[in-house]
Amino acid sequence: MAQHATHSNDNKHDNPTELKTALRSSIDHPVSTFDAADSNINDPSRNTNSHKKSIDNSDKDSEWDFKMATLFSIFESTSGHVLREALRASNGDLDQAIPWILSHNSSSSNDIDDTNSATNSAKTTESAKLTSFSASPSSTPARKKQKLIQPRLSLFMPTPTSSSSLSVFKQGISPASGHRQQTSHGNTNSSVDDDTSSTPLPSLNDRLRWKEATPNDTNVSTATTDTSTPSSTPLVKLKPPKPLILYNPEDVSKHCPCTLIFNVLDKDLANRLLEAMLTDSETWNRNRWWLFERMVESPHKTSYFAERDDDMEEVAGWTYNGKQQDPPRRFLPEMEEAKLVVRRIVNELRKQRSIHPYEVQGDWNCNVAAVNHYAHSKESVGFHADKLTYLGPRPTIGSLTLGVTRFFRIRKVIPDAKHPDTAGQLISIALPHNSLCIMWPPMQEEWKHEIPPVPTVTPHPISGTARINITFRLRREGFSPADTPVWSKMGQTCGQFSWVDMEQKLGLASSSSSPLAVNGGDGGGGGHNGGTESRARTIEATAARAAVKALPGSEDQTPEIEGGVLKHLRSSQSPEHVVDYSNHLDDKGVALDLADELQDDSVALEQQWEPIDEVDTNLE
Ligand SMILES: O=C(O)CCC(=O)C(=O)O
Ligand SMILES: [Fe+2]
């Protein structure tokens, strides 16, 4: 495979006026940027057929959400409080909010001592460049959509050139030029220029890492050494770190709670399965849902499979972003064969892992599968976490890739205590044909994943440009959309949620001061969204885990569920374990200022985090 991470530098809109026009136009054509299954920028309540509703001017909340979502989609990497501030300052007028954000950031450049005007001017020019996305291939005109132009606010941020800023800037900096790499499958060597003798110029990614700091930021020490900076002035800091691209299993398990296994199936079985899935996929559909008064559809085809009749019935009731799905299908014979392999491997590996009391106890099974078909390089799925509705908390998912190699891109949305600076870091994992990527807990709770579009793919002899993905999952008894964890309104508790009425479901309800809830990803994209603010209480994941750890017997993996009841948790759940972090979260669910409060984290993340393969390009 010869994937080259390339940066699209389509510099069509290099001044704010043009940009604004382009943005307005893209707002009028919302596209697949929003298409992420379960995406947390999609309020499921407005994506359901039953709930679809016009933007009602009398509904201020809805209008606010709409505008926030619009800004969010435009300024993807901008923190929520900046967007909110922009909207407030503009009295809710999007036309004014957009230039406000742009000017807000260019004005903050005054805070930086500019002592290198030549460098700065070169960078300013480049900073004005916007990332735009290529349209779908002409071979699929029906699918051709205008991509949202996504200027990243960081691009408009000042370039640090003062000596004081430089010390911050140098952290992990790439050399000025030649930070290109020839990456190919199985080869992590890169032609990185290591000459750091001269003052380095920042690469595009370096600039992307600059972001306004909040007073609570913990990673600003070097920035604060500039005593000339007034304390009230927003500081700058580096975050998130450079993207990584990982190609081998060792690096994968080092950097995230996933296990990557190559050549997992017998070669013949892999090929037969691919062929069977390709044939079957001819009748799969694209998911569709309502978004801001428009019907949008996913940029890939999806189907659901179940192992048994009762699973079929259950699955038939599932919804996807609020929309009833096509009836599930029964596992194809080749899927049954593959399932046995995946199940055996997962259960073997589980023996070496400590099993959290919230996880399924005993053997893991894969009784259902969600499958995806990506026809070509531009087909994708956006950032999301898999719904926990029927998976229950802390699920394990076995994700099998067939056909062309694509990047599986992940980012941690809940910061790691030991490595808070890694929050938001993009990690791309190359998934070749016949590879299994096992997502362990707390992947769904604390990370998001996507399959981003890429410029090209290396054709596969059987599938051409297509990739099939089968995610083998366990439908856990006792968990259903009725218990779906919800997230609250955007800007408040995205990225964390609580289980709706879990206490009632488990017969544990007594006082509202001790809700039994676990943290999760954005599974609220599921069908049930009846939670209110009071019901959608949030318990921070680590606190919940700490509570569990403190329980007698949790070390020896006491079964968590007896008749569907987390009984042993009930007695020791005390108010100090209940933490409402809703005010700490930004709109993307990145609790960047929580680092101090997080204590312990998952085992898989405890190892040293070192960049393996740095790139200065963006896969999009
Ligand atoms: O195609 C993939 O590898 C990911 C699919 C996925 O995230 C999903 O089905 O939820
Ligand atoms: Fe997923």
Short mmCIF file of all heavy atoms in Angstrom, two decimals, residues 37-38 370-372 374 381 384 386 399 401 408 431 439 449-451 467 469 471 473, ligand 1:
data_model
loop_
_atom_site.label_atom_id
_atom_site.label_comp_id
_atom_site.label_asym_id
_atom_site.label_seq_id
_atom_site.Cartn_x
_atom_site.Cartn_y
_atom_site.Cartn_z
N ALA A 37 -22.14 8.39 11.64
CA ALA A 37 -23.08 7.61 12.43
C ALA A 37 -22.91 8.03 13.87
O ALA A 37 -21.78 8.17 14.34
CB ALA A 37 -22.75 6.14 12.27
N ASP A 38 -23.97 8.28 14.53
CA ASP A 38 -23.94 8.58 15.95
C ASP A 38 -23.20 9.89 16.25
O ASP A 38 -22.82 10.13 17.37
CB ASP A 38 -23.25 7.49 16.77
CG ASP A 38 -23.63 6.11 16.34
OD1 ASP A 38 -24.56 5.96 15.56
OD2 ASP A 38 -22.99 5.19 16.81
N ALA A 370 -22.49 -5.07 12.49
CA ALA A 370 -22.82 -3.93 11.62
C ALA A 370 -21.76 -3.92 10.54
O ALA A 370 -20.57 -4.06 10.83
CB ALA A 370 -22.78 -2.63 12.42
N VAL A 371 -22.19 -3.83 9.31
CA VAL A 371 -21.23 -3.91 8.21
C VAL A 371 -21.33 -2.67 7.35
O VAL A 371 -22.39 -2.05 7.22
CB VAL A 371 -21.47 -5.18 7.35
CG1 VAL A 371 -21.25 -6.43 8.16
CG2 VAL A 371 -22.85 -5.16 6.75
N ASN A 372 -20.20 -2.32 6.78
CA ASN A 372 -20.14 -1.11 5.96
C ASN A 372 -19.45 -1.42 4.65
O ASN A 372 -18.53 -2.25 4.60
CB ASN A 372 -19.35 -0.02 6.68
CG ASN A 372 -19.99 0.36 8.00
OD1 ASN A 372 -21.08 0.90 8.02
ND2 ASN A 372 -19.33 0.04 9.09
N TYR A 374 -17.56 0.71 1.64
CA TYR A 374 -17.04 1.99 1.14
C TYR A 374 -16.62 1.74 -0.30
O TYR A 374 -15.66 1.01 -0.56
CB TYR A 374 -15.84 2.44 1.96
CG TYR A 374 -16.11 2.49 3.46
CD1 TYR A 374 -15.93 1.37 4.26
CD2 TYR A 374 -16.56 3.66 4.07
CE1 TYR A 374 -16.17 1.40 5.63
CE2 TYR A 374 -16.80 3.71 5.44
CZ TYR A 374 -16.61 2.58 6.21
OH TYR A 374 -16.85 2.62 7.56
N VAL A 381 -16.83 7.40 6.89
CA VAL A 381 -17.77 7.59 8.00
C VAL A 381 -17.09 8.59 8.94
O VAL A 381 -15.88 8.53 9.15
CB VAL A 381 -18.13 6.27 8.72
CG1 VAL A 381 -16.93 5.63 9.40
CG2 VAL A 381 -19.23 6.49 9.73
N HIS A 384 -17.24 9.29 15.35
CA HIS A 384 -18.35 8.85 16.20
C HIS A 384 -17.82 7.81 17.17
O HIS A 384 -16.69 7.32 17.02
CB HIS A 384 -19.47 8.23 15.35
CG HIS A 384 -19.07 6.94 14.72
ND1 HIS A 384 -18.26 6.87 13.59
CD2 HIS A 384 -19.32 5.65 15.06
CE1 HIS A 384 -18.04 5.61 13.27
NE2 HIS A 384 -18.67 4.83 14.16
N ASP A 386 -19.32 4.10 18.88
CA ASP A 386 -20.43 3.19 18.60
C ASP A 386 -21.46 3.26 19.72
O ASP A 386 -21.11 3.33 20.90
CB ASP A 386 -19.91 1.77 18.40
CG ASP A 386 -19.08 1.67 17.12
OD1 ASP A 386 -19.13 2.61 16.32
OD2 ASP A 386 -18.39 0.66 16.95
N SER A 399 -13.38 -5.54 14.64
CA SER A 399 -13.63 -4.87 13.37
C SER A 399 -12.75 -5.48 12.27
O SER A 399 -11.53 -5.32 12.28
CB SER A 399 -13.34 -3.37 13.55
OG SER A 399 -13.44 -2.71 12.34
N THR A 401 -11.49 -5.91 8.45
CA THR A 401 -11.37 -5.19 7.18
C THR A 401 -11.15 -6.16 6.04
O THR A 401 -10.31 -7.06 6.14
CB THR A 401 -10.19 -4.19 7.24
OG1 THR A 401 -10.54 -3.12 8.10
CG2 THR A 401 -9.87 -3.63 5.86
N PHE A 408 -8.03 4.02 9.60
CA PHE A 408 -9.00 4.08 10.70
C PHE A 408 -8.44 5.17 11.60
O PHE A 408 -7.37 5.03 12.17
CB PHE A 408 -9.00 2.72 11.39
CG PHE A 408 -9.90 2.59 12.59
CD1 PHE A 408 -11.27 2.75 12.48
CD2 PHE A 408 -9.37 2.26 13.84
CE1 PHE A 408 -12.10 2.58 13.58
CE2 PHE A 408 -10.19 2.09 14.94
CZ PHE A 408 -11.56 2.25 14.80
N LEU A 431 -5.49 -0.09 8.03
CA LEU A 431 -6.15 -1.40 8.15
C LEU A 431 -6.17 -2.10 6.80
O LEU A 431 -6.96 -1.76 5.92
CB LEU A 431 -7.60 -1.22 8.64
CG LEU A 431 -7.80 -0.57 10.01
CD1 LEU A 431 -9.28 -0.52 10.35
CD2 LEU A 431 -7.03 -1.32 11.09
N MET A 439 -11.40 -3.30 19.17
CA MET A 439 -11.55 -2.09 20.01
C MET A 439 -11.95 -2.54 21.40
O MET A 439 -13.04 -3.06 21.61
CB MET A 439 -12.62 -1.16 19.44
CG MET A 439 -12.25 -0.56 18.10
SD MET A 439 -13.48 0.67 17.57
CE MET A 439 -14.54 -0.34 16.57
N HIS A 449 -13.93 7.42 16.56
CA HIS A 449 -13.23 6.88 15.40
C HIS A 449 -13.95 7.26 14.12
O HIS A 449 -15.13 7.60 14.13
CB HIS A 449 -13.10 5.36 15.54
CG HIS A 449 -14.40 4.63 15.73
ND1 HIS A 449 -14.94 4.35 16.96
CD2 HIS A 449 -15.27 4.11 14.84
CE1 HIS A 449 -16.07 3.69 16.83
NE2 HIS A 449 -16.30 3.53 15.53
N GLU A 450 -13.21 7.17 13.04
CA GLU A 450 -13.78 7.48 11.72
C GLU A 450 -12.97 6.80 10.64
O GLU A 450 -11.85 6.36 10.86
CB GLU A 450 -13.78 9.00 11.48
CG GLU A 450 -12.39 9.57 11.29
CD GLU A 450 -12.38 10.99 10.73
OE1 GLU A 450 -13.43 11.51 10.36
OE2 GLU A 450 -11.28 11.57 10.67
N ILE A 451 -13.56 6.72 9.49
CA ILE A 451 -12.84 6.34 8.27
C ILE A 451 -12.87 7.58 7.39
O ILE A 451 -13.89 7.90 6.78
CB ILE A 451 -13.51 5.15 7.54
CG1 ILE A 451 -13.60 3.92 8.44
CG2 ILE A 451 -12.77 4.82 6.24
CD1 ILE A 451 -12.26 3.26 8.76
N ARG A 467 -13.91 -1.17 0.06
CA ARG A 467 -13.55 -1.78 1.34
C ARG A 467 -14.82 -2.24 2.03
O ARG A 467 -15.83 -1.51 2.04
CB ARG A 467 -12.82 -0.78 2.24
CG ARG A 467 -12.61 -1.28 3.67
CD ARG A 467 -11.83 -0.26 4.48
NE ARG A 467 -11.60 -0.71 5.84
CZ ARG A 467 -12.36 -0.38 6.89
NH1 ARG A 467 -13.42 0.39 6.72
NH2 ARG A 467 -12.08 -0.83 8.08
N ASN A 469 -16.20 -3.54 5.74
CA ASN A 469 -15.86 -3.62 7.16
C ASN A 469 -16.98 -4.35 7.88
O ASN A 469 -18.16 -4.05 7.69
CB ASN A 469 -15.70 -2.20 7.74
CG ASN A 469 -15.66 -2.21 9.25
OD1 ASN A 469 -16.64 -1.84 9.90
ND2 ASN A 469 -14.57 -2.67 9.80
N THR A 471 -18.11 -5.17 11.67
CA THR A 471 -17.85 -5.00 13.10
C THR A 471 -18.66 -6.04 13.85
O THR A 471 -19.88 -5.98 13.91
CB THR A 471 -18.20 -3.58 13.59
OG1 THR A 471 -19.51 -3.25 13.16
CG2 THR A 471 -17.20 -2.56 13.09
N ARG A 473 -20.04 -7.63 17.03
CA ARG A 473 -20.41 -7.04 18.31
C ARG A 473 -21.21 -8.03 19.14
O ARG A 473 -21.82 -8.95 18.60
CB ARG A 473 -21.29 -5.80 18.08
CG ARG A 473 -20.64 -4.76 17.22
CD ARG A 473 -21.66 -3.94 16.45
NE ARG A 473 -20.98 -2.92 15.66
CZ ARG A 473 -21.24 -1.62 15.70
NH1 ARG A 473 -22.21 -1.17 16.49
NH2 ARG A 473 -20.58 -0.77 14.98
O1 LIG B 1 -15.31 0.90 8.66
C1 LIG B 1 -14.78 0.89 9.77
O2 LIG B 1 -13.68 0.40 9.99
C2 LIG B 1 -15.51 1.53 10.92
C3 LIG B 1 -16.97 1.32 10.90
C4 LIG B 1 -17.61 1.85 12.10
O3 LIG B 1 -17.07 2.64 12.80
C5 LIG B 1 -18.95 1.41 12.48
O4 LIG B 1 -19.58 0.63 11.77
O5 LIG B 1 -19.42 1.84 13.54
#
